[in-house]
Amino acid sequence: MAIFCAAFAAGVALSQYLLSAQWALILCGVFAAAALVMGLCGCANKRGDWAKRAFLCALGLCFAFGYNTLYAHFIKAPNDALLGTQDTVEAELLGYAEETSHGAKVTVKILNRGLPGRAIYYGDADLMDLEPGAHVTAEALFNSATDPTGKGLHLRNFTAKGVYILLYQRGEPSYDEANAGAMRYLPRRIARKLGETIEQSYGEREGAFLRALLLGDKKYLDEEDASNLSEVGLSHVMAVSGLHCCFLASLIGSLMGDRRKKLRCAVTIPLIFLYAFVTGLTPSILRACIMISMGMIAPLLGRDNDPPTSISFALLLILLKNPFAIASISLQLSFSAVSGIIWLTPKLTKRAHGKHKLVRAALLSFSTTLGAMVFSTPLACYYFGTLSIVSLLSNLLCLWLVSVVFALGLLSVLIAAAVPQLGAACAFVPALGIRAVLAIAGLLEELPFHAIYFNTAFSVVWLAYVYAIFIACALVKRGKYRYFAAVGLSVLSLFAAAKVNALHYEQGGLNVVALDVGQGESVLLISEGHAALVDCGSKNSYIDAGAIAADYLRSAGATLDSVVLTHYHEDHANGLAALFARVDVETIYLADIDAGEGDRDEVEALAERYGVNIHYVTEVIEVTNGASTMSIYPPLGDKGANELGLTILCSLGDFDTLITGDMDAKTETKLVETYDLPDIEVLLVGHHGSKYSTGTTLLESVTPEVGVISVGDNSYGHPTEEALLRLTDAGMTVYRTDMQGNILITVD
């Protein structure tokens, strides 16, 4: 079973990431023939275990290639056929809507097209008032959930969840209660009720943590708390997964006792699956439900529980439901973490035999955390760019407390839902536990070198070096203290890598870093260990510009003295919450305007909360930034946030960098007519490469040599051909964050 399931998963992964449909079908035939040959060999030789294993492996690969191809043809292809069209659509809400900057969005099932799979419907704010099961009928534009820009970027976050269409409302919709209140939507109503009960019983901060812990709903978490938990390696407690299923199963076992194993099994399995549906049935929690169920049923059938078989079987079931789930980050992290626990943790826990109870508990926590990290760390570093160095300590200190908070918090919420008057009283003890966890996370986050950030080559080389020396220790099997030596070398090399990276930014000169924040802008100006950040935002919901800037600053060892916002639009300002939560900032420079666009009030509130001084730019000012100087020019346009933004000129000797924000060519002309700008070397191309910005007048006046375009996935067509043509006609070398990632320009 384990061999077949593992081979099937490998075949699905190859089909999803590397193979075309034609090659998948060819390989399906090849491995079908191989399976036949190996099957005959196995039958001919009763002791031919190698042939049987090869047969199962070939059969799994054959099945995977064929199944993935058929699934794509019958499930995804019908959705793809409608892309780019616009027509009336009727859809049923599968959950509650979430607020967006332009209204609301909700997962739906399209009813009048016979389409398999699900869709995300983007509509107006009235969706927030609808119950799951309600119907919406409207004119809608069909867009791809795989590639919303049409540029072949192959985004997989939607298809991994079974979503193949993005629907954008056009015109006035009509609503119908239809199946609202149906039993199949009971888990969603339970989740809503539990969330409301938490809100009524707990304080804002504690309630937000408990929502994340019990329901996986992280949108209410305070930005600083979320950042601290992530930085110290406790972010997994905020994403409902197998850990939470184990908490729930343990709670049920504690309440029922160890006797009556059949009754305990009959109660636990339905409850953990109900919990899985309530929390969204993510791959990680479905994996846990299957493994726990198999582990409980096996003894009742007189069989031993085999973790490799159960985890492989869980993966098979998930991929049969949706092969595209192989690209799910939560699935990859969950299965890699549990695989590490299965492989490494038992080897480490052998050392705990005969030790004191507290020592055994500490060693078990340590070995479980280390096992979970051994295979998942490279994936986490790739996807999130961060590795928490203190995660072993944070999990040792907090994981037992989190399990207590989970049990007591869940019981308190259930009691409060039945008897609201008891809510506050029942919440007292869990709230104390929550405050303790958040306090520990905050203290650990203050430690130097608590995390390493993978935005430089040094950190990547360090991680590869660490894995290499530990693999060497495992292979050599000599030397009693070889692992202690490996730990020492890892620590020393970490300090060396961090220092070498920081030396580059501590020396004299200027580093202009256009950070890759997707469709937005965030530019670091670092000189002699001091930094200024111009803008901090992104329109791409899966990118946090503030976190990216904070990561880069910490890896560079630079102090952020000032932030300059060209204007208040979200793609230039919505990352400030995460930035201020993690990095101390002395002053923020703002335009004193109210153009009715963006969120000036929120920016000012964040500055006040974190003690950041606000300086409104009404005339030209000069700000020292290490060895460089920033000249900040006040707004010059007539109307609109784009035209009433600030302009920044950063200079070091004869080297100049100009940042104009999103102003159009008309305002650029006014800029060069009003101020005596020098010839510049680097231009941050205006408005992400819009055809209306970076006009000929500006280019002829300041004659830039290099143009940097901060751009990402977008539906605006940025950068436009017109803008790119003007840049190349001006003889400029052009760099783009969507192609080159972070762009670093260093001036000695």
Side-chain angles (χ1 to χ4, degrees):
M1 175 69 77
I3 293 173
F4 174 81
C5 294
F8 178 81
V12 169
L14 288 171
S15 299
Q16 290 290 326
Y17 283 101
L18 297 176
L19 301 176
S20 65
Q22 292 82 358
W23 272 107
L25 286 175
I26 292 172
L27 290 176
C28 177
V30 170
F31 281 102
L36 179 62
V37 172
M38 295 302 173
L40 293 175
C41 291
C43 293
N45 185 358
K46 294 182 179 180
R47 296 184 179 182
D49 288 342
W50 65 269
K52 295 174 184 176
R53 293 190 180 96
F55 165 74
L56 290 171
C57 186
L59 187 64
L61 288 169
C62 169
F63 185 36
F65 294 135
Y67 185 78
N68 185 84
T69 303
L70 292 174
Y71 191 95
H73 178 75
F74 289 105
I75 304 297
K76 188 172 180 294
N79 289 276
D80 291 343
L82 293 173
L83 299 183
T85 64
Q86 183 171 316
D87 202 354
T88 301
V89 64
E90 182 182 3
E92 182 169 303
L93 276 64
L94 300 180
Y96 290 96
E98 297 179 19
E99 186 177 6
T100 67
S101 57
H102 301 290
K105 66 177 181 179
V106 64
T107 304
V108 300
K109 172 70 175 177
I110 299 174
L111 299 176
N112 61 339
R113 298 280 178 165
L115 292 176
R118 298 181 292 171
I120 301 292
Y121 179 86
Y122 293 85
D124 54 35
D126 291 339
L127 289 171
M128 300 291 293
D129 300 325
L130 300 179
E131 293 284 321
H135 288 188
V136 56
T137 303
E139 188 88 3
L141 172 66
F142 289 74
N143 209 343
S144 173
T146 305
D147 183 12
T149 64
K151 295 182 179 179
L153 300 177
H154 306 298
L155 299 178
R156 296 173 179 267
N157 53 320
F158 286 121
T159 54
K161 300 174 183 177
V163 173
Y164 305 105
I165 289 285
L166 303 183
L167 293 171
Y168 294 94
Q169 176 185 303
R170 298 289 186 264
E172 289 296 321
S174 62
Y175 304 108
D176 181 6
E177 290 188 2
N179 294 321
M183 277 298 296
R184 63 177 175 271
Y185 298 115
L186 179 62
R188 306 311 308 146
R189 295 197 295 275
I190 292 175
R192 169 65 70 92
K193 178 62 176 178
L194 292 176
E196 292 173 348
T197 305
I198 292 172
E199 185 176 354
Q200 294 164 3
S201 304
Y202 286 81
E204 183 177 353
R205 189 184 184 205
E206 294 82 3
F209 180 91
L210 195 60
R211 273 187 185 239
L213 178 64
L214 296 181
L215 303 174
D217 187 357
K218 295 179 283 188
K219 63 176 176 287
Y220 297 96
L221 266 176
D222 179 78
E223 189 72 49
E224 187 170 359
D225 288 337
S227 174
N228 289 344
L229 291 167
S230 177
E231 286 283 293
V232 302
L234 289 174
S235 58
H236 59 97
V237 306
M238 300 181 291
V240 174
S241 63
L243 177 70
H244 301 70
C245 277
C246 291
F247 288 161
L248 180 58
S250 297
L251 174 60
I252 297 171
S254 300
L255 294 175
M256 297 187 64
D258 293 332
R259 299 178 181 178
R260 299 181 179 179
K261 292 184 178 180
K262 292 183 180 179
L263 178 60
R264 181 180 171 186
C265 181
V267 172
T268 301
I269 292 175
L271 284 180
I272 61 173
F273 272 98
L274 174 61
Y275 180 65
F277 278 98
V278 167
T279 54
L281 204 64
T282 61
S284 57
I285 197 169
L286 183 56
R287 185 269 312 155
C289 289
I290 295 171
M291 292 187 68
I292 290 172
S293 300
M294 293 179 70
M296 296 186 74
I297 292 172
L300 300 181
L301 300 177
R303 303 291 297 273
D304 292 329
N305 180 34
D306 181 50
T309 298
S310 60
I311 191 175
S312 300
F313 184 64
L315 184 56
L316 173 70
L317 293 181
I318 292 170
L319 295 181
L320 285 175
K321 180 176 179 291
N322 177 18
F324 291 93
I326 196 71
S328 166
I329 296 175
S330 68
L331 180 144
Q332 294 177 12
L333 291 176
S334 175
F335 277 86
S336 60
V338 175
S339 297
I341 292 172
I342 292 172
W343 173 70
L344 183 61
T345 299
K347 297 178 174 63
L348 298 176
T349 52
K350 289 180 181 179
R351 301 177 180 272
H353 293 311
K355 304 289 185 181
H356 188 272
K357 185 181 293 186
L358 290 177
V359 175
R360 287 203 307 271
L363 286 175
L364 178 61
S365 174
F366 173 83
S367 59
T368 302
T369 303
L370 197 60
M373 291 176 63
V374 67
F375 295 139
S376 63
T377 292
L379 285 172
C381 294
Y382 174 75
Y383 286 120
F384 306 116
T386 305
L387 170 62
S388 175
I389 303 298
V390 298
S391 59
L392 290 172
L393 177 59
S394 65
N395 280 271
L396 177 62
L397 294 175
C398 293
L399 212 51
W400 67 272
L401 186 54
V402 171
S403 68
V404 173
V405 169
F406 181 95
L408 296 181
L410 179 58
L411 291 174
S412 75
V413 173
L414 294 176
I415 293 171
V419 187
Q421 295 82 357
L422 297 178
C426 294
F428 179 74
V429 174
L432 289 178
I434 292 170
R435 291 180 201 137
V437 171
L438 294 177
I440 293 171
L443 290 173
L444 293 178
E445 196 273 341
E446 295 293 330
L447 295 175
F449 295 102
H450 67 271
I452 185 170
Y453 308 99
F454 291 85
N455 47 30
T456 68
F458 295 107
S459 51
V460 176
V461 170
W462 173 81
L463 184 64
Y465 170 74
V466 169
Y467 269 85
I469 58 176
F470 275 96
I471 291 172
C473 288
L475 294 176
V476 171
K477 296 182 180 181
R478 291 182 180 180
K480 184 177 180 181
Y481 301 104
R482 65 187 186 279
Y483 286 109
F484 291 101
V487 171
L489 289 172
S490 300
V491 173
L492 290 174
S493 60
L494 171 62
F495 290 143
K499 186 60 180 176
V500 170
N501 185 60
L503 279 175
H504 174 79
Y505 299 96
E506 292 172 358
Q507 297 172 353
L510 173 66
N511 295 277
V512 180
V513 190
L515 298 172
D516 180 13
V517 293
Q519 183 64 13
E521 184 166 280
S522 191
V523 183
L524 274 170
L525 306 168
I526 307 175
S527 179
E528 296 183 340
H530 294 268
L533 179 66
V534 179
D535 288 336
C536 184
S538 176
K539 271 190 176 294
N540 301 120
S541 59
Y542 51 90
I543 293 176
D544 192 328
I548 291 173
D551 288 353
Y552 202 98
L553 283 163
R554 287 189 166 176
S555 64
T559 301
L560 185 60
D561 297 328
S562 59
V563 173
V564 186
L565 286 191
T566 58
H567 59 294
Y568 299 103
H569 280 164
E570 63 176 354
D571 57 334
H572 292 254
N574 66 2
L576 288 179
L579 178 73
F580 289 168
R582 292 181 53 189
V583 179
D584 292 330
V585 181
E586 183 177 333
T587 306
I588 185 169
Y589 296 91
L590 304 173
D592 190 14
I593 61 166
D594 187 3
E597 303 173 50
D599 200 336
R600 172 175 171 169
D601 292 341
E602 183 177 346
V603 170
E604 292 172 337
L606 284 169
E608 181 178 356
R609 173 183 174 180
Y610 290 100
V612 181
N613 298 320
I614 298 177
H615 187 118
Y616 295 104
V617 180
T618 57
E619 60 183 7
V620 181
I621 62 171
E622 289 193 353
V623 179
T624 300
N625 181 48
S628 65
T629 301
M630 284 194 307
S631 299
I632 307 177
Y633 300 93
L636 291 172
D638 297 326
K639 61 180 180 179
N642 288 347
E643 312 315 319
L644 292 171
L646 303 179
T647 303
I648 298 88
L649 178 71
C650 184
S651 304
L652 177 68
D654 295 331
F655 183 91
D656 301 284
T657 299
L658 183 65
I659 304 172
T660 60
D662 284 354
M663 66 175 59
D664 66 15
K666 181 180 178 181
T667 308
E668 292 170 354
T669 299
K670 185 177 290 188
L671 175 71
V672 298
E673 290 175 349
T674 305
Y675 301 109
D676 184 19
L677 298 178
D679 290 342
I680 67 172
E681 281 63 47
V682 176
L683 173 67
L684 266 295
V685 176
H687 206 168
H688 321 288
S690 165
K691 65 180 179 181
Y692 302 109
S693 298
T694 320
T696 304
T697 301
L698 175 69
L699 295 175
E700 292 178 348
S701 298
V702 297
T703 62
E705 299 174 13
V706 173
V708 176
I709 306 176
S710 183
V711 67
D713 304 334
N714 68 89
S715 58
Y716 311 106
H718 295 164
T720 62
E721 292 185 10
E722 297 95 322
L724 291 172
L725 186 60
R726 286 197 296 271
L727 299 177
T728 53
D729 285 347
M732 298 170 60
T733 302
V734 179
Y735 298 96
R736 297 168 47 169
T737 58
D738 62 336
M739 292 185 173
Q740 281 89 29
N742 293 341
I743 296 169
L744 169 63
I745 299 173
T746 299
V747 186
D748 296 328

